[in-house]
């Protein structure tokens, strides 16, 4: 059984679906600080089985001790974290406490229970503003905000833990690029509780008419059409990357660090056009000033993941837009139908 912290969140739910597809039993742990309890029923509809979930916090040492003592947990996938960059600048202590202290609390509980297999959610944010592209795992690391620092710190904690007990741990640090899209069932997807910070959920809400117009942050970047370029990866491909990482760790002790991206750069305007095509709706936009802290371009060299894990992203931009639209349109209709 795999313990999935933050399992009720965006990437967590899709990974639980992928684990179920692979026949791997899961136990979710989530404090629902950024997710809804209703996703559990939806996940159960997808997997055809009830979902085992405990409501609680990864910083609760006593709860973790109980969980490890009472369940046959062989490994952990650790998604639980706060992830809003702007909020992290305003509330750094909350971010360090939740993300860094939460990870230390989890590692202590794992060590005490003798469970030393961990898949960790890192981020392309650890590469800062890359000097060249595509980005390889051995590129220099840097951070420009507390969220990014928290990921770098946690990566360091994991390297130190591996170093202190050589050969005992099996740790994967997975550096995600820009996860988007939704499960093809349309039952689960990204569900921002506030105004979306990220491009795809914002575009999706403009397409449904929930928001009027997309602000395109910057039209003067040194990119083919002047707008920012990213490596968007379908969340179901990302989820399958976690299953592949777990399989890899079974056979390889030590510390693994890999990019999970497609290697394909996509601009903001390409995303807008892709979404218009998938939804059949117009996505009005206006080009405004650059967003502070944004880099012009960021995309992965995904070769290491393919070589080591035998994994690569299979779904294209069209599938990302189609599935995000199916989810967003379905949600908008469900909300509209609600009494
Ligand atoms: P999410 O907010 O949808 O999911 C995180 C889940 O963790 C939520 O359900 C939340 O309630 C839970 N959680 C947070 N703190 C907790 C705690 N202390 N104890 C228990 N549960 C807690 O976010 P996501 O997009 O699914 O991201 C998952 C992971 O991937 C995070 O670590 C995030 O930093 C990382 N990541 C995300 C992206 C992205 O763009 N979505 C990119 C790179 C990395
Ligand atoms: C993508 C592109 C924007 C919104 C962020 C975090 C990063 C990671 C993923 C977790 C950029 C442009 C966006 C909008 C726009 N999270 N944009 N209008 O900035 O690559 O990464 O999320 O680790 O840490 O920084 O993703 O989706 O916010 O932006 O023009 O309303 O879309 O300028 O070029 P980003 P994003």
């Amino acid at each position: 059984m795999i313990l999935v912290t933050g399992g009720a969140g965006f990437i967590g739910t899709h990974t639980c679906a992928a684990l179920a597809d692979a026949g791997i039993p899961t136990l979710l742990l989530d404090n629902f600080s950024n997710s809804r309890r209703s996703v559990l029923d939806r996940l159960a509809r997808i997997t055809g089985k009830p979902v085992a979930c405990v409501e609680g916090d990864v910083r609760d040492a006593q709860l973790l001790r109980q969980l490890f003592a009472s369940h046959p947990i062989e490994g952990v996938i650790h998604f639980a974290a706060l992830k809003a960059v702007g909020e992290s600048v305003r509330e750094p202590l909350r971010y360090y406490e939740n993300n860094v202290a939460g990870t230390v609390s989890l590692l202590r509980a794992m060590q005490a229970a003798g469970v030393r297999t961990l898949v960790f959610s890192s981020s392309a944010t650890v590469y800062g503003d890359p000097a060249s592209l595509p980005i390889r795992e051995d590129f220099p690391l840097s951070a420009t905000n507390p969220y990014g620092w928290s990921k770098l710190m946690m990566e360091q904690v994991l390297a130190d833990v591996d170093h202190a007990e050589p050969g005992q741990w099996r740790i994967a640090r997975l550096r995600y690029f820009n996860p988007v899209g939704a499960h093809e069932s349309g039952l689960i997807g990204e569900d921002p509780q506030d105004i979306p910070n990220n491009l795809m959920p914002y575009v999706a809400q403009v397409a449904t008419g929930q928001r009027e117009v997309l602000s395109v942050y910057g039209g003067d970047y040194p990119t083919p059409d002047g707008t920012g370029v990213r490596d968007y990866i379908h969340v179901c491909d990302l989820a399958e990357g976690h299953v592949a990482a777990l399989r890899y760790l079974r056979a390889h002790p030590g510390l693994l660090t890999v990019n999970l991206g497609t290697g394909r750069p996509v601009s903001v305007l390409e995303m807008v056009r892709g979404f218009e095509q998938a939804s059949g709706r117009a996505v009005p936009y206006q080009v405004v000033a650059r967003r502070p802290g944004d880099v012009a371009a960021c995309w992965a060299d995904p070769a290491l993941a393919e070589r080591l894990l035998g994994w690569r992203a299979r779904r294209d931009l069209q599938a990302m837009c189609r599935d995000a639209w199916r989810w967003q349109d379905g949600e908008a209709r469900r909300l509209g139908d609600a009494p």
Side-chain angles (χ1 to χ4, degrees):
M1 163 178 283
I2 298 296
L3 176 67
V4 184
T5 78
F10 172 43
I11 306 170
T13 44
H14 292 82
T15 301
C16 287
L19 289 163
D21 276 347
I24 301 172
T26 52
L27 173 64
L28 277 62
L29 171 66
D30 205 297
N31 65 4
F32 297 103
S33 58
N34 196 38
S35 48
R36 296 174 211 266
R37 286 163 193 81
S38 55
V39 299
L40 301 176
D41 285 339
R42 291 164 175 226
L43 198 49
R45 280 172 64 190
I46 292 172
T47 61
K49 273 190 223 141
V51 174
C53 178
V54 172
E55 179 163 352
D57 198 292
V58 286
R59 290 165 294 174
D60 184 342
Q62 201 186 338
L63 172 65
L64 290 183
R65 208 174 314 122
Q66 279 168 9
L67 285 184
F68 282 106
S70 56
H71 294 85
I73 297 169
E74 295 155 78
V76 180
I77 305 183
H78 179 36
F79 293 109
L82 298 172
K83 61 165 184 178
V85 171
E87 188 182 63
S88 81
V89 176
R90 294 190 295 276
E91 300 180 68
L93 296 179
R94 199 169 140 234
Y95 271 68
Y96 290 125
E97 194 166 62
N98 194 81
N99 295 2
V100 183
T103 300
V104 172
S105 157
L106 175 66
L107 288 165
R108 276 214 178 279
M110 290 177 67
Q111 197 178 39
V115 176
R116 287 186 169 79
T117 298
L118 177 73
V119 176
F120 173 71
S121 302
S122 190
S123 165
T125 194
V126 301
Y127 296 115
D129 195 355
S132 67
L133 292 157
I135 300 173
R136 276 200 325 268
E137 289 80 355
D138 59 358
F139 275 26
L141 306 179
S142 69
T144 52
N145 57 68
Y147 170 73
W149 278 114
S150 80
K151 288 290 169 197
L152 270 182
M153 286 178 193
M154 294 183 282
E155 282 211 358
Q156 187 61 46
V157 168
L158 294 173
D160 292 342
V161 160
D162 171 63
H163 182 77
E165 295 183 298
Q168 299 295 301
W169 289 84
R170 295 162 191 264
I171 298 175
R173 302 186 298 186
L174 305 182
R175 295 180 178 154
Y176 314 154
F177 280 67
N178 290 56
V180 298
H183 195 265
E184 63 176 15
S185 64
L187 287 169
I188 53 172
E190 195 166 5
D191 187 14
Q193 317 251 313
D194 221 330
I195 302 174
N197 294 310
N198 294 115
L199 179 64
M200 171 79 99
Y202 204 105
V203 167
Q205 292 192 4
V206 174
T208 60
Q210 285 162 276
R211 305 203 181 271
E212 257 174 43
V213 61
L214 169 75
S215 294
V216 174
Y217 298 137
D220 57 352
Y221 282 112
T223 58
D225 66 17
T227 66
V229 159
R230 297 290 184 274
D231 184 337
Y232 299 96
I233 174 170
H234 195 297
V235 64
C236 293
D237 279 328
L238 191 65
E240 289 164 10
H242 291 71
V243 178
L246 273 178
R247 289 209 176 103
Y248 176 89
L249 292 179
R250 260 189 221 143
H252 302 87
L255 180 67
L256 166 79
T257 307
V258 288
N259 290 338
L260 294 185
T262 65
R264 289 188 294 274
V266 170
S267 75
V268 175
L269 294 183
E270 283 176 292
M271 175 65 90
V272 167
R273 279 195 292 274
F275 214 90
E276 286 185 329
Q277 237 168 33
S279 65
R281 302 278 180 93
V283 177
Y285 67 86
Q286 58 189 18
V287 178
V288 300
R290 292 179 180 188
R291 183 171 63 177
D294 271 358
V295 300
C298 170
W299 73 88
D301 180 340
L304 189 66
E306 175 149 22
R307 184 155 61 78
L308 296 181
L309 308 181
W311 167 93
R312 76 184 160 88
R314 294 182 291 122
R315 297 162 177 92
D316 62 10
L317 182 64
Q318 207 189 349
M320 297 179 211
C321 293
R322 185 197 61 213
D323 293 339
W325 172 245
R326 189 183 292 120
W327 155 249
Q328 191 69 42
D329 188 41
E331 280 302 275
R333 284 170 202 278
R334 278 188 279 271
L335 284 173
D337 290 347

